[in-house]
Every structure is written in C-alpha cells, then in structure tokens.
Amino acid sequence: MTAPLRRWITPLVVALAALAIVAGPTPALAAPATPTPSGHEEDDDPPLITKAIESANRQYVQAKAKLVKSQQRQRQRAEEVRAAQRQLDALRPQVSAIAAQSYRTGRIGAMAVLLESRSPDSFVQRAAGLDELNLVNGQKLAEINAAKTRAEQAKLALDAEVREQQRLTNAMAREKAATEKALKLVGGLDFTGGLVSATSRVAAIGPGRTADGDWKAESCSENDPTTSGCITPRTLHAYKEVKKAGFNRFVGCYRSGGPWEHPKGRACDWSLQKSGFASWHNNDMRMYGNNVAAFLIRNADRLGIYYVIWNRQIWFPATGWKSYSGPSNHTDHVHMSLL
C-alpha cells in the first residue's frame, strides 16, 4: 500500500477505535470527603438543654436542605447523560455503516473508493471527501464520548454526595431524637421550663454495687455531715458527689420518725437556698432544683438512686416521671432516696 493511501485510511481506523472506546467502562470518582462539623468552644457552664435541642434541629434542617439541592443537581446531571446518549444513538448508524463496509471489504474498501476515480481531479475529490468524513465522524465520536464521560462522572460524584447527605440527615435525626430523649429524662419542657443544663457531671460509682448491677443492702453506719444522725455509705457517697458537682446550698439528710428512707439514713433533701427551705419563686431557684434532679437522674445507675421527688413530680428508674402528691409538694427542695 502506498503512503498516500495509508494516510487516507488511518482516520477511518481511528473513528472505529473511538466507537469501541465509547462502549468501554467509565472511570469512577472517589467519594467526597466527609464534612467535619465546626468545633464549639466550651463555656464554663453547660448550655441549657433547650439550646442543645435547637442546635440539633437546626443542623437537621440544614442537612435536609443540602440533600434536596444535591438531589436536584443529580437529576440535572442525569439528564445530561441521557442527552449525550441520544446524540450517540443518532451518530451510531453512520459509524455502523462505515464499520460494516470495512468488515465486508477489509482494508481495500477505502482503496476501492479511491480507485473508482475516472480522473486525477475525481481521485483527489474522493480522497478529500473520505478523509473529511472520517475526520468528522472521529471528532463527533470523541466529542460525544467526552460529554458522556463528564456527565457520568458528575453523576457518580453527585450520587456519592447524596449518599453522604442522607447519612448526615440520618445522623442529625438520631441526634435530635437523643436530645429529645434527654429532655424527657429530666422531666420535659413543661416541667423544667427549659431551665436545665444539657449535661451533668459524671459521678463516681457508689459503694456496694455488684457485678450484675444490683446493690447490696447497707446499714446506717456513717456519720451524717448535715445532722447528728447517721446515713449509709452509699448515701454519704451520693452526698459527696452532689457536692462535687457544685450544688452547695443547704441540705439535710437524716431525720428521725416516719416510714420512709430518712430515718434509715438513705435520703437527703437538697434545698433551693443557702439556709432553710422555701418554694421556688424565681428562675434561679427553679433551675437549681432542676439541675440537682437532673444530676441525680443522669447518674442514677452510678449512685444507686431509688427515686427522686421534685416540684410535684416523682421519678423512678423503672417508670420515669409521674405526678406526685404527698405531705410535701417538694417545690422547696429535691428529695433523693438511695437503694
């Protein structure tokens, strides 16, 4: 074969090779990196639980909005893929015809087209036409293949983004549910008025807890630091832990008489003021009582809490908060009883 003929046939081979490339696999993109939430400087005092709920809900809404936008972009990229495929389908018959001719006649096909020329001018025109056709087809195939590749890569990236946003939305939903559960644990919004810290200090485990989580019976063997009476080792431990948590207003534990835990050395009353008892009548007193109760309940398993009474409500580990009515409505102190 002469050099000029080889030069005219080469674009045809390139075009057919480009067609094979279109049908080949598209390289996948790596999934976007997981976004890292911005950090928050810790305050001296823990935020109110209502602030934690608001933050969790706000992050949930933001993640959901990002998911919707991501899904919209994904639909746009999917339409780009379909448009590229339609263009490819429109071009395929032309390429198929060239491929079929090459299959039937072999490499002589293009040569035969050129040798049918009856004059030098006709030969040059046919050669130029064949070269132009192959060049156009090759350019179209390359253009369609590039567009299809870009669209598919964009779709893969957005699929990964949608999955990540869905994961983030689910995480925010779990965080919201956990925060609402935490609010319920301390009595709910109506009961606390939202005046309760989102977290409490973690107490040290009290004495007498067995390996299976039960608590050994204890006698009233320790001097009560609040009276001249006695309390159990577990009650003394709980008393010290509440003090460590910063609750240093008036408290009384042992009290003689009555059928309940005070004469057994298994109870303490945490007042809302520095001396004596008075029902709460401002936010400071209410929040103090809420936070004492929250500390005891959040650490119930570590301290061996039997029940807590506060502000006309009683809490048991097995039942949660229930309405309470008794000799005292407990609006002036938080009562704790130990197992």
Side-chain angles (χ1 to χ4, degrees), residues 141-300:
L141 282 170
E143 180 181 353
I144 296 302
N145 188 46
K148 184 173 182 289
T149 299
R150 286 195 303 271
E152 289 181 345
Q153 289 179 342
K155 184 178 182 299
L156 287 172
L158 281 167
D159 283 344
E161 180 181 2
V162 169
R163 288 193 299 271
E164 174 59 22
Q165 294 299 332
Q166 186 65 60
R167 185 201 65 79
L168 184 59
T169 299
N170 292 339
M172 291 303 102
R174 289 192 298 271
E175 180 179 344
K176 182 171 76 75
T179 308
E180 290 175 343
K181 181 179 179 181
L183 177 60
K184 184 179 180 181
L185 178 66
V186 295
L189 189 59
D190 291 339
F191 177 60
T192 63
L195 298 172
V196 59
S197 296
T199 59
S200 295
R201 177 190 176 102
V202 177
I205 297 175
R209 192 172 79 168
T210 63
D212 59 1
D214 196 5
W215 295 89
K216 296 178 181 179
E218 293 182 336
S219 62
C220 192
S221 60
E222 303 293 329
N223 292 329
D224 178 10
T226 69
T227 71
S228 59
C230 65
I231 56 177
T232 67
R234 192 151 47 243
T235 303
L236 180 60
H237 172 81
Y239 166 85
K240 291 179 178 179
E241 288 300 306
V242 177
K243 286 285 190 177
K244 286 180 182 177
F247 301 106
N248 293 308
R249 298 180 187 181
F250 182 75
V251 55
C253 295
Y254 178 83
R255 186 172 69 240
S256 62
W260 313 114
E261 284 74 41
H262 279 291
K264 301 174 184 177
R266 292 168 43 197
C268 293
D269 291 332
W270 299 89
S271 175
L272 311 180
Q273 52 187 22
K274 293 183 178 180
S275 63
F277 294 89
S279 295
W280 70 267
H281 52 270
N282 57 45
N283 286 344
D284 173 73
M285 297 174 74
R286 186 181 185 183
M287 185 169 180
Y288 185 86
N290 286 341
N291 282 335
V292 171
F295 172 81
L296 295 172
I297 292 167
R298 288 166 176 159
N299 288 285

